[in-house]
Amino acid sequence: MSNTMKRLAILGSTGSIGQQTLDIVRTFPNKFRVIGLAGGENSGLLAKQVSEFQPQLVYSALKLDLPGKAEFSSMEEIASHPDVDLVVIATTGKTGLTPALAAIRASKKIALANKEILVMAGRIITAEAKQHRAQILPIDSEHSAIWQCLRGEKGEVARLILTASGGPFYRYSPSQLAKVTAEEALQHPTWKMGRKVTIDSATLMNKGLEAIEAHWLFSIPFSKIEIVIHPQSIIHSLVEFMDGSLKAQLSFPDMHLPIQYALSYPRRLPNSELPRLDLVRVKALNFEPVTYHNFPCLRLALEAAKRGGTYPAVLCAADEIATHLFLAGQTSFPGIAEIVAKTIDLHRGIANPTLDEILAADTWGRETAANIATKESLC
Ligand code: MG
């Protein structure tokens, strides 16, 4: 396999992860070929990507003029196309859910950046992946770190330790948090990411979603997943084994590396464009326990995880609405957690839901969160 070209479909190619995936393709034109691209609102960028990478198949959320031999397709058709070996799922929210399932049912490898898919439907996705022998390769930096630490091991894991930078407001008091603006929240101290995940990192909702993602990816009970604050984002996560040995993966915080690892797996590729870590310049790595009181989104996510069923889908839906309202200046930073908490309180969960029940819970969660926000703004 190592000498053959990998043929890729990239869903969400105009987002942050999608663009960085194309950077890797550009660096290794003899290793990867783009068969399909799917883009969202940024149709100008999608048009440029189509003319540069010449995919056969294109999905565009908006109207687009296609050059030459490219054809419009649905994301599901692109994800399951016979010419595609690996599908990069770099969409956000629930958009990637049905395309991911289509890829899995066609026994493709999927490189997953869109964590909400596993949060919403982890049981279904992992069961289908097992049935169809479709490998799920993580792109999220914490999960890539754990995956790299587990390589060559026989599964004698005692616990997974997810690191969290704590985001820009970790030391803020409740009164400071109440005044935080969207602009401030979009300045992450260590990572450059898309808008939604940057806000989720500031509320620590992201770390709760990542615990759920880790649970499904590595079949590990929640009782064996811990979170530790590590402000430098140099150690991307750790695995503790039964004998007390800890393995960690370290690198400069840059998403190109976990993307490249998922694309090139099981090989590693030399890439001089990736920043190297200078330990002498780093000097110190710090760790501290996570404090939940200022960051209720993390607690809400872990509670939804334990309740299971449709609760994680409702959590994601309410968080997406609340985050958009915050970015639009229509709710405060603490308002995000309030909207999510109230939505979850009103939900009547279903255990072991079908895909349709999960999608219905998502729709219900969005409508309920929006209604709660409207009522609050009228008070
Ligand atoms: Mg992450």
Side-chain angles (χ1 to χ4, degrees), residues 159-176:
R159 57 184 179 139
L160 305 182
I161 304 169
L162 295 175
T163 52
S165 70
F169 312 130
Y170 196 64
R171 306 205 179 279
Y172 277 34
S173 67
S175 62
Q176 285 175 302

Side-chain angles (χ1 to χ4, degrees), residues 303-376:
E303 283 168 8
K306 283 182 191 134
R307 294 170 91 173
T310 44
Y311 283 98
V314 168
L315 173 91
C316 281
D319 175 55
E320 205 172 310
I321 295 294
T323 301
H324 282 288
L325 289 170
F326 171 68
L327 284 170
Q330 289 167 19
T331 191
S332 66
F333 186 76
I336 299 173
E338 285 164 27
I339 292 168
V340 174
K342 285 180 183 167
T343 308
I344 289 177
D345 275 348
L346 291 173
H347 184 58
R348 296 170 67 96
I350 301 171
N352 293 317
T354 62
L355 189 65
D356 285 342
E357 287 168 331
I358 290 168
L359 293 172
D362 169 82
T363 305
W364 178 90
R366 283 165 199 277
E367 288 169 2
T368 307
N371 284 338
I372 287 167
T374 313
K375 271 185 206 139
E376 305 236 310

Side-chain angles (χ1 to χ4, degrees), residues 115 140-143 206-207 210:
K115 65 193 74 165
D140 207 348
S141 60
E142 293 77 1
H143 306 77
N206 184 53
K207 211 47 60 177
E210 287 180 350

Side-chain angles (χ1 to χ4, degrees), residues 84-288:
V84 169
D85 302 312
L86 185 143
V87 184
V88 178
I89 315 256
T91 39
T92 58
K94 70 162 178 180
T95 327
L97 182 55
T98 52
L101 269 175
I104 287 168
R105 288 173 181 159
S107 304
K108 306 294 185 195
K109 281 192 172 70
I110 71 172
L112 187 67
N114 187 176
K115 65 193 74 165
E116 289 88 346
I117 290 172
L118 280 176
V119 175
M120 292 174 73
R123 187 181 301 277
I124 293 173
I125 293 281
T126 51
E128 293 260 355
K130 202 171 172 191
Q131 188 191 336
H132 297 281
R133 297 169 190 272
Q135 251 184 314
I136 304 175
L137 316 175
I139 282 182
D140 207 348
S141 60
E142 293 77 1
H143 306 77
S144 179
I146 291 167
W147 183 35
Q148 293 181 57
C149 291
L150 288 173
R151 210 168 156 180
E153 298 287 348
K154 298 273 181 255
E156 292 133 340
V157 172
R159 57 184 179 139
L160 305 182
I161 304 169
L162 295 175
T163 52
S165 70
F169 312 130
Y170 196 64
R171 306 205 179 279
Y172 277 34
S173 67
S175 62
Q176 285 175 302
L177 285 173
K179 292 186 207 121
V180 158
T181 64
E183 209 172 302
E184 290 166 332
L186 286 170
Q187 303 299 318
H188 194 272
T190 50
W191 290 99
K192 266 185 69 186
M193 304 177 287
R195 287 160 68 87
K196 164 73 167 45
V197 62
T198 302
I199 302 302
D200 280 343
S201 297
T203 60
L204 293 194
M205 175 63 86
N206 184 53
K207 211 47 60 177
L209 301 182
E210 287 180 350
I212 305 175
E213 186 185 8
H215 163 74
W216 290 116
L217 276 173
F218 305 110
S219 320
I220 283 276
F222 287 107
S223 58
K224 292 185 174 178
I225 301 174
E226 283 175 35
I227 296 165
V228 65
I229 299 290
H230 166 47
Q232 293 95 350
S233 303
I234 297 292
I235 293 185
H236 300 304
S237 278
L238 309 91
V239 178
E240 186 186 294
F241 294 92
M242 283 173 178
D243 57 2
S245 182
L246 271 176
K247 276 167 85 175
Q249 186 263 335
L250 292 75
S251 60
F252 189 88
D254 184 318
M255 286 308 295
H256 288 95
L257 177 58
I259 293 167
Q260 179 179 304
Y261 188 72
L263 295 191
S264 68
Y265 180 83
R267 305 296 302 259
R268 289 183 186 271
L269 294 173
N271 185 348
S272 60
E273 286 167 39
L274 294 182
R276 300 285 149 152
L277 189 60
D278 181 345
L279 288 173
V280 175
R281 271 184 69 185
V282 170
K283 283 195 174 68
L285 298 173
N286 300 97
F287 306 95
E288 50 189 292

Side-chain angles (χ1 to χ4, degrees), residues 48-60:
K48 278 189 199 142
Q49 293 176 342
V50 168
S51 63
E52 180 180 354
F53 293 96
Q54 309 263 318
Q56 303 166 29
L57 307 163
V58 177
Y59 168 84
S60 175

